[in-house]
Amino acid sequence: IGLALFAAIIVCYTAIGGFRGSVYVDSMQAVIRIGGTVIALAAVFYVASQSPIDFWRNIHAAGPTFLKIIPDNHYLVAIPFIFGFAAAALGFGLGQPQMVTRYLAGATPAETRSAWAIYNFFVQFTWISMTVFGVVLRGIIPSLSDPEAGLSTFFRLKAGPIFTGIIVADIFATIAATSNSLLVAMAQTTSRDLGGPNWHRQAEDLWPVTALLGAGTMLLSLNLHGTVFALALLSVSLLGAALAPAMLVRILHLRSTGTSLTASVLAGFTTAALWSYFGLSGTMNEAAPGMLIAFATNFVLARLPARSGARGGLRDADS
């Protein structure tokens, strides 16, 4: 019941606030996220310092390769793994529709660059901090049955109800911010791209579309199974493989046509999906092969001869 109410509240305030409301809410939730991250790091280091002998015993019990970035110098395994996640990271920034709408909303290029710097600080600070938290937590609670529950489990066992409540608010703020941004992006796409120009002019208010999409995604989420980490990683990788190459082509003013860009999106998504389906993601994240095929598809199709002179003129102008 609590989760259903939480989801309904997100849908309601997203429908009412729209894009501008989403930006304000994201800013507030980012502050909560940074505060929760600082509290989490301070708490986990404090608890570890209280029992240093037990802490280091648990760290050593994790094995000699636990703290090594490339265990046993297995570079042939590590390099494709790192390359795959580097591609996924690039796709994370350029392939998420809710992020792209933020890029396009800047009033000036200088404002967009400032926002880019702030966002990168936020992302780097939070993921590095949570990685450090996880490493230290291994020395405090070595027998966690569910790693995704490490943050809440640690605070529930070691920090008491007040700090646990703050961290739960931090976790739910992260979920709400992402859900809110995605709903706004989907509503904008539905009304402005799929609805057509006439429908767009008659429906500036997006709240009915947002509410409908929100209800649909709530029902869909009830039927999804798997860990949050696995679902998030797969979705980021698939979106990155599909959309990031097309976005880079446009940003860098590389040669392209409408057909080549559309085909690159389809080729990138299909390649990444098949790569994941055949179980190759453990060797290299599916974003990397997907993005490579997408770039190759655009490169080839953009250079095919046009069927007519007029069509070729349009293609050259677009490129």
Side-chain angles (χ1 to χ4, degrees):
I1 295 174
L3 288 174
L5 289 174
F6 175 67
I9 290 172
I10 294 175
V11 173
C12 289
Y13 79 67
T14 303
I16 295 170
F19 180 79
R20 183 180 295 274
S22 174
V23 173
Y24 288 133
V25 170
D26 273 359
S27 300
M28 180 190 72
Q29 289 163 337
V31 173
I32 296 174
R33 186 75 182 92
I34 291 174
T37 301
V38 171
I39 292 173
L41 276 182
V44 78
F45 276 111
Y46 174 78
V47 173
S49 68
Q50 297 301 105
S51 304
I53 297 177
D54 292 337
F55 171 79
W56 286 113
R57 183 187 300 117
N58 292 331
I59 291 295
H60 289 310
T65 62
F66 178 66
L67 296 177
K68 292 184 178 179
I69 296 179
I70 303 179
D72 299 325
N73 296 323
H74 288 163
Y75 291 99
L76 293 179
V77 176
I79 291 175
F81 184 84
I82 294 172
F83 176 72
F85 274 93
L90 180 63
F92 177 82
L94 291 175
Q96 293 189 94
Q98 76 275 21
M99 293 304 304
V100 174
T101 58
R102 297 313 198 253
Y103 301 149
L104 300 177
T108 64
E111 182 179 278
T112 301
R113 283 193 295 271
S114 298
W116 176 85
I118 294 170
Y119 174 72
N120 272 282
F121 163 78
F122 171 78
V123 170
Q124 301 303 323
F125 171 73
T126 51
W127 88 259
I128 292 174
S129 298
M130 286 297 97
T131 300
V132 173
F133 177 90
V135 171
V136 177
L137 185 63
R138 179 64 177 80
I140 299 173
I141 311 177
S143 57
L144 274 174
S145 58
D146 181 7
E148 287 190 354
L151 189 63
S152 58
T153 300
F154 167 77
F155 275 89
R156 190 169 64 251
L157 296 177
K158 304 292 185 180
I162 294 178
F163 284 111
T164 301
I166 294 174
I167 292 303
V168 170
D170 171 15
I171 295 171
F172 275 79
T174 304
I175 298 171
T178 304
S179 303
N180 165 244
S181 301
L182 282 168
L183 282 177
V184 170
M186 289 191 296
Q188 290 172 328
T189 300
T190 302
S191 64
R192 288 165 168 74
D193 296 334
L194 302 182
N198 294 329
W199 191 86
H200 164 211
R201 284 195 293 268
Q202 298 171 3
E204 291 295 330
D205 196 345
L206 296 180
W207 74 263
V209 179
T210 307
L212 182 62
L213 288 170
T217 53
M218 283 172 59
L219 295 175
L220 177 62
S221 65
L222 294 175
N223 297 299
L224 293 176
H225 302 284
T227 65
V228 174
F229 175 79
L231 291 172
L233 185 61
L234 178 62
S235 62
V236 165
S237 300
L238 292 178
L239 279 175
L243 300 180
M247 179 64 67
L248 277 175
V249 166
R250 298 299 295 179
I251 291 174
L252 299 176
H253 302 290
L254 302 178
R255 188 172 183 178
S256 65
T257 66
T259 300
S260 69
L261 287 176
T262 302
S264 74
V265 170
L266 295 175
F269 181 87
T270 302
T271 301
L274 290 174
W275 191 271
S276 176
Y277 177 78
F278 286 110
L280 301 175
S281 301
T283 303
M284 179 188 294
N285 184 276
E286 56 269 14
M291 291 176 69
L292 289 174
I293 294 299
F295 277 121
T297 301
N298 177 78
F299 181 86
V300 172
L301 293 184
R303 284 158 178 76
L304 291 178
R307 295 183 179 178
S308 67
R311 191 174 175 84
L314 290 173
R315 184 192 65 179
D316 292 336
D318 180 54
S319 301

